[in-house]
Amino acid sequence: MTAKYINHNFELKDQGTSNFVESDNFARHRWYYYKEGFSPNLVRSAIESRELTSEHMILDPFNGSGTVTLTAAEQNIPSVGIEVNPFTAFVAKTKTLNTNPKVLSKLFEETYENAILGREYSQLEKYSTFTELSGKDKWLFNLDVLRSFYGGYSYLENHRSNASKMLRLALINSIMNVSNARKDGKCLRYKSAWKELKFSKNDFLIEFEKHYKKIVEDIEHTIIRSSSKIYNSDSRSILKKQSSYFDLIVTSPPYLNTFDYTDIYRPELFLGKFISSSEELYKLRLKTVRSHVQAKWKTPKSDYIDSLILKDVYQRLMSNKESLMHPRIPQMVLAYFEDMKGVFYQLSQKANKYAHLWMVVSNSAYANAEIPVDLILADIATKHGWKLKEIGVLREIRKRKTKYSPDIDTLRESVIILEKK
């Protein structure tokens, strides 16, 4: 029954709104490239469809790098964002800050001088694969790059201003741009001929100045006048504690793709001192939605599944275990939808009458079959406080064929649009 709500001619289809690419053209949004993000234009469409004003309230329970909260703030609409990753929560908060350009300019000059001087970063220089001193065959950052970064970053640790936060973000952005590896799907992949690139302190300083100039230009032309509250927390537990009620929820939860996003952003988490050990990284992993198999999370209940679509998927995966890349994938699939069921219920409790929920998701593929994530989520949502309006197809994502799913080369990405019952 849910499938009849799929709109293959959705107005935002193939408009580039479900990825972050065009965000690089927008002030403040371009302060950090967040591969998993979506476009501000999708948020604007949701806001326009509800004709929201400064009297309304917007929520994003999976706020990522803050596209929803920043777009709401730009339109003078109050908003709340919840994000479990402390680095991306920092990105989201920083993008909504204002500061005096003269204050920023003075602090930049001081930070730049300290980055030239550099400083040893003993905590990371031999840790994991951070530099050549780790003794590994490959390393993320050349030593003089890391020391230059830390020269500037340690100087800013003595400052607590908005300008300091902007420059800390610029430093992290800059060092990631001269890393020997880049983000590629669920992992960091070393760049082609990375040793020959020989990224140096000078390359890092050029990046730092470039990112600083972007921030100066943006804060002079886009002053944020509406506040956004951004919480660094697990939305599965904090939603029930929210005192606000919402008129529009726009969000994109982790996709059901086995990606461990804490590992993808591991360099930034350590560089920015948001975590300091592997144990802390593991604890953070346990706070995320169970869309991966890299942690021993609580086993989901399998004796009662209240979605017939999900029940069929689960039984099919259990009978094809030999075709799965990991034996815990059937439990991961159940756990993911168990988490999302709780989220839908909590969101319905905090939604005003006639509130709308826009949720961007992608289907997945396991055992050579497409998992209709959008249909299952919509089915579950209608049992926990929501009425399905439509499932708008945003695009067909090209997927790399694997030996586990050799016949699947595209996956549907869509936005589920729901209304509070």
Side-chain angles (χ1 to χ4, degrees):
M1 289 292 288
T2 311
K4 72 179 184 181
Y5 289 93
I6 297 178
N7 180 1
H8 291 280
N9 298 308
F10 189 60
E11 60 184 3
L12 296 180
K13 186 177 181 181
D14 295 330
Q15 300 296 311
T17 55
S18 60
N19 60 56
F20 199 76
V21 174
E22 67 178 8
S23 298
D24 253 4
N25 300 322
F26 298 122
R28 291 180 178 264
H29 292 274
R30 61 180 180 167
W31 289 4
Y32 204 89
Y33 186 82
Y34 186 62
K35 189 172 181 293
E36 295 77 18
F38 48 74
S39 167
N41 283 335
L42 185 140
V43 186
R44 290 172 190 141
S45 293
I47 291 173
E48 288 170 11
S49 73
R50 303 305 298 155
E51 299 181 343
L52 299 190
T53 70
S54 59
E55 302 297 317
H56 296 97
M57 180 71 83
I58 297 176
L59 169 69
D60 182 354
F62 300 98
N63 197 39
S65 68
T67 298
V68 172
T69 41
L70 176 55
T71 306
E74 289 169 337
Q75 301 201 19
N76 200 26
I77 301 172
S79 63
V80 171
I82 302 169
E83 172 54 39
V84 70
N85 185 314
F87 166 67
T88 47
F90 166 72
V91 176
K93 289 178 186 175
T94 303
K95 291 195 298 191
T96 61
L97 299 176
N98 295 311
T99 192
N100 185 322
K102 291 182 180 178
V103 173
L104 182 64
S105 174
K106 181 174 184 298
L107 189 58
F108 167 75
E109 291 175 6
E110 295 165 354
T111 305
Y112 192 88
E113 289 301 316
N114 279 274
I116 291 174
L117 295 174
R119 188 168 173 179
E120 288 190 10
Y121 198 175
S122 57
Q123 185 179 347
L124 283 189
E125 290 182 1
K126 295 182 180 179
Y127 180 73
S128 186
T129 55
F130 270 86
T131 77
E132 56 266 48
L133 296 186
S134 65
K136 306 287 176 55
D137 294 334
K138 296 179 179 179
W139 53 90
L140 294 173
F141 307 104
N142 296 333
L143 185 60
D144 68 334
V145 168
L146 184 67
R147 287 183 174 176
S148 182
F149 164 83
Y150 191 55
Y153 203 83
S154 61
Y155 178 74
L156 291 173
E157 287 178 313
N158 298 318
H159 297 76
R160 298 296 177 190
S161 62
N162 288 351
S164 168
K165 292 172 183 171
M166 292 173 185
L167 292 177
R168 283 171 61 195
L169 179 58
L171 284 170
I172 296 174
N173 206 354
S174 302
I175 192 171
M176 292 307 299
N177 284 358
V178 293
S179 168
N180 295 326
R182 58 179 173 80
K183 292 180 173 59
D184 183 21
K186 64 174 67 179
C187 64
L188 291 169
R189 193 177 301 279
Y190 281 85
K191 296 172 181 172
S192 177
W194 62 273
K195 282 188 177 177
E196 283 71 32
L197 293 173
K198 296 181 179 179
F199 287 123
S200 66
K201 177 174 75 175
N202 191 50
D203 295 320
F204 168 71
L205 292 170
I206 290 171
E207 287 292 319
F208 182 39
E209 186 170 10
K210 183 176 75 177
H211 290 299
Y212 158 71
K213 288 180 177 178
K214 278 186 185 177
I215 292 173
V216 170
E217 182 181 338
D218 291 352
I219 61 172
E220 287 179 338
H221 293 95
T222 58
I223 297 173
I224 300 298
R225 304 190 186 283
S226 179
S227 65
S228 299
K229 293 180 180 177
I230 296 168
Y231 300 97
N232 176 210
S233 187
D234 179 357
S235 60
R236 296 172 300 176
S237 58
I238 197 176
L239 276 171
K240 66 182 73 171
K241 301 174 184 175
Q242 275 294 311
S243 58
S244 301
Y245 287 81
F246 303 93
D247 304 286
L248 175 66
I249 301 162
V250 183
T251 195
S252 180
Y255 288 180
L256 184 59
N257 53 14
T258 71
F259 284 23
D260 173 11
Y261 295 101
T262 63
D263 195 50
I264 294 171
Y265 286 90
R266 183 173 58 96
E268 290 95 330
L269 286 165
F270 276 95
L271 288 166
K273 300 187 177 180
F274 300 101
I275 60 170
S276 59
S277 67
S278 298
E279 291 74 20
E280 288 183 15
L281 182 65
Y282 190 79
K283 288 180 181 177
L284 176 60
R285 194 169 290 148
L286 288 174
K287 293 179 181 176
T288 60
V289 168
R290 294 173 287 176
S291 62
H292 51 79
V293 291
Q294 286 83 355
K296 291 184 178 178
W297 27 251
K298 183 180 176 183
T299 304
K301 296 177 181 177
S302 58
D303 54 344
Y304 176 71
I305 304 172
D306 62 353
S307 166
L308 292 177
I309 314 172
L310 176 57
K311 190 173 185 177
D312 175 66
V313 166
Y314 178 67
Q315 291 174 342
R316 187 154 34 91
L317 293 177
M318 288 297 287
S319 62
N320 286 282
K321 275 191 168 183
E322 71 284 354
S323 301
L324 296 171
M325 59 176 283
H326 195 285
R328 293 175 68 213
I329 283 178
Q331 285 70 38
M332 179 198 75
V333 170
L334 274 193
Y336 177 82
F337 289 108
E338 189 174 88
D339 282 348
M340 293 308 300
K341 178 172 72 174
V343 169
F344 279 126
Y345 173 74
Q346 293 298 335
L347 291 176
S348 73
Q349 298 302 299
K350 297 298 176 183
N352 285 322
K353 191 175 183 180
Y354 305 125
H356 275 202
L357 164 55
W358 286 43
M359 181 174 285
V360 178
V361 295
S362 167
N363 287 349
S364 303
Y366 295 109
N368 205 26
E370 184 166 351
I371 310 296
V373 175
D374 50 6
L375 295 180
I376 298 172
L377 286 175
D379 190 26
I380 292 172
T382 58
K383 296 178 172 68
H384 296 279
W386 296 94
K387 180 171 64 178
L388 180 59
K389 301 288 287 184
E390 69 175 323
I391 297 173
V393 176
L394 294 171
R395 63 171 173 162
E396 295 290 332
I397 304 175
R398 294 187 63 81
K399 177 186 176 300
R400 190 180 304 160
K401 290 183 179 180
T402 68
K403 66 177 182 179
Y404 301 104
S405 295
D407 299 325
I408 310 293
D409 58 4
T410 60
L411 292 171
R412 184 172 66 233
E413 193 172 47
S414 53
V415 55
I416 308 166
I417 301 179
L418 303 148
E419 183 178 272
K420 170 76 180 294
K421 283 183 179 175

